[in-house]
Amino acid sequence: IDVSGSNSVSWAEFTTFLMDQGMTDDVPREFNVISFCDSPVRDAMGHQSHCEKACYLRHYDKIAFIENDSKCLRICSPDLVPQEELLEFAQ
């Protein structure tokens, strides 16, 4: 969501994200409490573009992600330490 890379999210960035995700006025009715807090984890990995898909692999305690227009599946630990890259990965 932090488009400007300022380590903070402006109201405009947040509402733009919600609109881009197709969220509307009825979203607060679906969730009772949504809380956000600062995380000490920072992504220091270099990226070619934005992450198109990411998922947490609970049984392996790893995060797998694919960057936009990439054929490489990257795997990292939950604290974003790189673990593996699978080149020429087809989605």
Side-chain angles (χ1 to χ4, degrees):
I1 298 175
D2 182 13
V3 177
S4 64
S6 63
N7 288 331
S8 65
V9 178
S10 70
W11 184 251
E13 289 172 323
F14 180 69
T15 55
T16 299
F17 170 77
L18 293 177
M19 296 303 290
D20 288 346
Q21 297 301 310
M23 298 179 175
T24 60
D25 293 343
D26 60 338
V27 169
R29 282 185 256 141
E30 294 178 22
F31 303 101
N32 292 332
V33 175
I34 299 174
S35 60
F36 298 94
C37 62
D38 190 30
S39 170
V41 177
R42 298 289 182 248
D43 184 1
M45 291 184 281
H47 296 281
Q48 298 296 321
S49 65
H50 67 274
C51 293
E52 185 174 318
K53 294 182 183 179
C55 94
Y56 176 64
L57 307 172
R58 183 172 40 131
H59 297 294
Y60 299 103
D61 193 32
K62 301 285 186 238
I63 298 171
F65 64 93
I66 300 172
E67 295 172 355
N68 189 45
D69 296 327
S70 175
K71 292 183 179 178
C72 176
L73 175 70
R74 296 176 76 181
I75 300 173
C76 63
S77 65
D79 55 351
L80 302 178
V81 174
Q83 302 287 312
E84 191 73 41
E85 286 188 16
L86 303 174
L87 302 174
E88 298 300 320
F89 175 78
Q91 293 185 38

